[in-house]
Amino acid sequence: MAAPGAGTLGSGLSEPGAVAGDASLNGLEQDDSMTIAAAHLSDTKPRVLVIDDSKDVHRLLKARLRNEQLDLSHAESGAAGLEAVQQEAPAIVLLDLDMPGMDGFEVLRRLKDDAATIHLPVIVLSGLHSSQDKVTAFDLGAVDYITKPFDLTELRVRVRSALRMHGLLQMLAQRAQLDGLTGLWNRAYFDQRWGEEVASCQRHDRPLSLAFFDADHFKSLNDTYGHPAGDQVLIGIAQIFQRVLRQTDIACRYGGEEFAIIMPETEPDEAVKVCERVRDTLENVCWERHPERGVTCSIGLCGSNGSVSVDAAAWLQATDEQLYKAKQGGRNRIAVHQFGGPGKPKLKKAG
């Protein structure tokens, strides 16, 4: 599933009916959950984009940087470089200043004027040696300035330093989007990602489903067994998500005992099967702190088979209404509504 910490499970939830004890559920510990971002960042090599009108520079860098842990891509004009940035999302840019047509200063200015690329590190590689050119480049947002002809050992060191800083900034940004208790994505990340997924659904006419999960009678559980028991349940639910959900599903802690699952490219009928697996697994867990009391969840689900005239906020509201119907219908069940489908929402009883 597309959630931080995927594959990091406590052994206590290895199969339905297992006892979920402190040792097993705390397998997803605080420090471990907060290193997820770093693990995610190391999954692929960072991409370095070279924007330079000299073919010789491209050949030289390709030869000299081939042993570095990076993927090198090339653009031979300022306009082509800006297009490559949008398509490839590089980690850093190596930018020449003296190019015909759109020069490097203009490329740098446009990158820093765009909210999507304002933080993209740019190292200038230029034959312009004047102090004024260097001051202008730094004022426009360059992180480093290397004059040609450059020393290749120095270039490698500076590229490594820029990539290391980029990785740290990415990790910090991702930490800000993680829920500290469960290690899932948090509400801020959900809000951003949900808007993107709805826009993609509308633009490309793709299926999309959203589900809200709410732990039944959670306040009563906290009042009876204490907040540590409640925290154990929340962590356990997150681990069930990590075990049961698909790689493409996006699990978030929405707030309190409520979770949200974004399911891209998923029609409502298929989303029901995904949610039912979670519901059934949770219902069959035995909790060490309260083995006599199980935990269930109510689920509200809204989806479409393609583009529909429903914005992100209205979709959220409709999903919340289905969650309310699931609770009113007796809890431990899924209430489903399909946009553009049969008019009457369906109610699926547990089992």
Side-chain angles (χ1 to χ4, degrees):
M1 58 172 262
T8 308
L9 294 178
S11 59
L13 292 180
S14 59
E15 55 186 70
V19 175
D22 291 338
S24 62
L25 284 177
N26 286 336
L28 184 66
E29 295 189 11
Q30 303 300 313
D31 290 343
D32 290 339
S33 69
M34 300 312 287
T35 61
I36 290 162
H40 174 75
L41 292 175
S42 65
D43 286 346
T44 58
K45 292 181 181 179
R47 181 172 296 277
V48 175
L49 172 64
V50 181
I51 306 176
D52 197 306
D53 62 322
S54 170
K55 294 183 183 292
D56 290 337
V57 168
H58 288 290
R59 282 195 293 267
L60 178 63
L61 292 177
K62 184 176 181 180
R64 297 298 184 178
L65 297 178
R66 67 179 181 274
N67 293 325
E68 298 296 308
Q69 293 300 308
L70 55 84
D71 287 327
L72 205 62
S73 60
H74 307 273
E76 295 184 3
S77 70
L82 288 175
E83 184 177 351
V85 167
Q86 298 300 323
Q87 294 178 349
E88 300 176 13
I92 65 171
V93 170
L94 303 181
L95 176 65
D96 183 30
L97 293 181
D98 189 15
M99 296 184 290
M102 185 186 301
D103 66 14
F105 290 120
E106 180 60 23
V107 173
L108 190 52
R109 186 177 293 108
R110 294 195 186 188
L111 289 174
K112 298 307 174 180
D113 284 344
D114 187 338
T117 56
I118 189 173
H119 299 299
L120 175 62
V122 177
I123 297 177
V124 171
L125 298 178
S126 178
L128 303 178
H129 290 225
S130 75
S131 297
Q132 185 56 50
D133 289 326
K134 295 178 182 179
V135 169
T136 301
F138 282 119
D139 282 345
L140 288 173
V143 299
D144 208 344
Y145 194 111
I146 304 174
T147 54
K148 298 177 182 177
F150 45 79
D151 180 85
L152 290 168
T153 300
E154 179 185 355
L155 174 64
R156 280 195 292 265
V157 170
R158 295 195 181 195
V159 168
R160 290 173 192 165
S161 176
L163 287 173
R164 184 161 52 248
M165 182 61 66
H166 172 74
L168 289 172
L169 290 174
Q170 270 199 318
M171 186 173 67
L172 289 172
Q174 198 169 46
R175 279 191 174 192
Q177 296 178 318
L178 293 176
D179 176 62
L181 178 66
T182 64
L184 299 177
W185 298 115
N186 63 17
R187 173 68 180 273
Y189 179 84
F190 170 84
D191 290 341
Q192 170 198 324
R193 186 62 182 268
W194 175 240
E196 294 170 356
E197 292 297 337
V198 172
S200 177
C201 166
Q202 312 292 36
R203 185 167 57 251
H204 301 294
D205 193 27
R206 293 172 176 167
L208 176 65
S209 293
L210 172 68
F212 281 161
F213 292 71
D214 192 277
D216 295 327
H217 304 295
F218 187 75
K219 183 178 184 303
S220 171
L221 187 146
N222 264 339
D223 292 343
T224 305
Y225 301 99
H227 288 280
D231 288 348
Q232 182 193 64
V233 167
L234 297 177
I235 295 170
I237 292 174
Q239 290 185 325
I240 290 172
F241 286 153
Q242 292 162 1
R243 180 175 180 81
V244 172
L245 296 183
R246 305 162 303 174
Q247 190 67 30
T248 55
D249 298 329
I250 303 158
C252 309
R253 187 178 179 194
Y254 195 72
E257 69 273 22
E258 193 168 335
F259 299 84
I261 309 296
I262 303 172
M263 292 170 274
E265 304 280 357
T266 305
E267 296 182 354
D269 288 347
E270 181 61 28
V272 169
K273 297 176 185 176
V274 174
C275 293
E276 176 60 23
R277 288 198 297 269
V278 174
R279 189 207 63 77
D280 180 68
T281 302
L282 177 62
E283 183 181 29
N284 285 284
V285 171
C286 178
W287 305 87
E288 185 177 41
R289 287 179 180 265
H290 42 91
E292 73 286 356
R293 177 169 176 171
V295 176
T296 62
C297 65
S298 300
I299 305 168
L301 169 64
C302 280
S304 76
N305 294 334
S307 178
V308 290
S309 56
V310 180
D311 63 23
W315 203 316
L316 280 176
Q317 179 63 34
T319 307
D320 197 54
E321 290 171 359
Q322 294 306 306
L323 176 60
Y324 179 77
K325 288 183 179 181
K327 286 185 169 295
Q328 291 296 106
R331 293 184 169 84
N332 191 27
R333 62 193 65 215
I334 309 169
V336 189
H337 178 67
Q338 178 174 326
F339 293 117
K344 209 167 183 185
K346 299 173 286 183
L347 194 65
K348 179 179 178 63
K349 189 174 180 179

